[in-house]
Amino acid sequence: MAYTPTSPKTPSSDIELQHPTAKQTLLSHALTGHYHSNGHSHLKSQSPDGRIATPIDFDGLSFPSVGARERREDTEEQRVARIEKISGAVRIILECIGEDPDREGLLKTPERYAKALMFFSKGYEESVTHLMNKALFQEDHDEMVIVKGIDVFSLCEHHMVPFTGKIHIGYIPKNGKVVGLSKIARLAEMFSRRLQVQERLTKQVAMALQELLDPLGVAVVMEASHFCMVMRGVQKPGSQTITSSMFGCFRDQGKTREEFLALIRRNGI
């Protein structure tokens, strides 16, 4: 069976997300090498892709990329201008592939695609802290919690074509701290609605839960089909890519990991 904690429970008042405490600031510094101050992020990425190392940015963003904060803080006028800019770029693409952007079927395609792309990438406007706040609870539960078969849709950052599949997420609470089940699915949705690679998406979900809940362990497994392998390149329909990310007792204890893997493979009770 799953690992059972022996430490005492913490008061429920301790489980809501707050502004950065000294401990959180030190944790952030340990993970990223930078401090937060005055409620504003001063993180500068050490990674070549412009992302910070920790999923929790206490002033609102999560794994921010360059331009994510600007997009989130857009006024309505700025959002309209952003869509118009994307529409203009799409019109150029249509011309470059040999199409006529002025023919009837394509007249509104640039604007349609611009709005669709904003939806496909809406995860840049969302944050872990706002997503999870008020959804952390104290319960007398110390066994494995699994939400499996969550549908995810994302865009490969290398070709900007879709990859789709399912993600399975499990954790073992510590001190009775649990999260609303729907929030687990929303967490996967938030990170998938960005330009991604499957390996990073899997790890981001796991890291976010680990840092938010401080559980005994977190396990995430994702299986997906990549259209960059189906529609182009090697052109192999039916191929599946499986990735995993595990922390705590799921990584350290083989029996716990095997229990999780067995449960996500089961159909029904």
Side-chain angles (χ1 to χ4, degrees), residues 91 94 99-110 112:
R91 182 181 174 89
L94 291 174
E99 264 293 355
D100 175 12
D102 292 317
R103 70 178 176 85
E104 183 179 7
L106 293 177
L107 278 175
K108 294 187 177 181
T109 295
R112 290 192 192 103

Side-chain angles (χ1 to χ4, degrees), residues 194-266:
R194 303 175 180 196
L195 300 186
Q196 280 285 13
V197 295
Q198 184 175 330
E199 298 89 338
R200 184 173 65 238
L201 170 56
T202 306
K203 190 168 186 178
Q204 284 179 340
V205 173
M207 287 181 66
L209 271 181
Q210 181 68 29
E211 192 168 339
L212 278 165
L213 297 178
D214 189 28
L216 295 172
V218 170
V220 178
V221 172
M222 182 176 176
E223 47 192 330
S225 175
H226 292 248
F227 280 70
C228 59
M229 290 180 60
V230 173
M231 299 174 64
R232 57 160 302 282
V234 71
Q235 298 182 58
K236 296 297 180 184
S239 62
Q240 292 279 312
T241 300
I242 300 175
T243 50
S244 69
S245 182
M246 302 196 183
F247 294 102
C249 58
F250 288 99
R251 177 185 285 268
D252 300 333
Q253 300 178 15
K255 288 185 177 180
T256 305
R257 181 168 59 252
E258 285 303 316
E259 180 184 352
F260 170 76
L261 295 174
L263 287 171
I264 66 173
R265 285 194 294 262
R266 287 180 61 177

Side-chain angles (χ1 to χ4, degrees), residues 53-73:
T54 173
I56 308 301
D57 175 6
F58 289 99
D59 61 351
L61 294 170
S62 311
F63 281 113
S65 296
V66 176
R69 179 174 306 283
E70 181 182 350
R71 173 176 169 176
R72 184 178 179 186
E73 295 174 354

Side-chain angles (χ1 to χ4, degrees), residues 14-32:
D14 291 339
I15 63 176
E16 289 188 2
L17 298 178
Q18 304 293 337
H19 291 294
T21 62
K23 179 180 178 181
Q24 290 167 335
T25 301
L26 289 172
L27 173 63
S28 174
H29 175 67
L31 289 170
T32 68

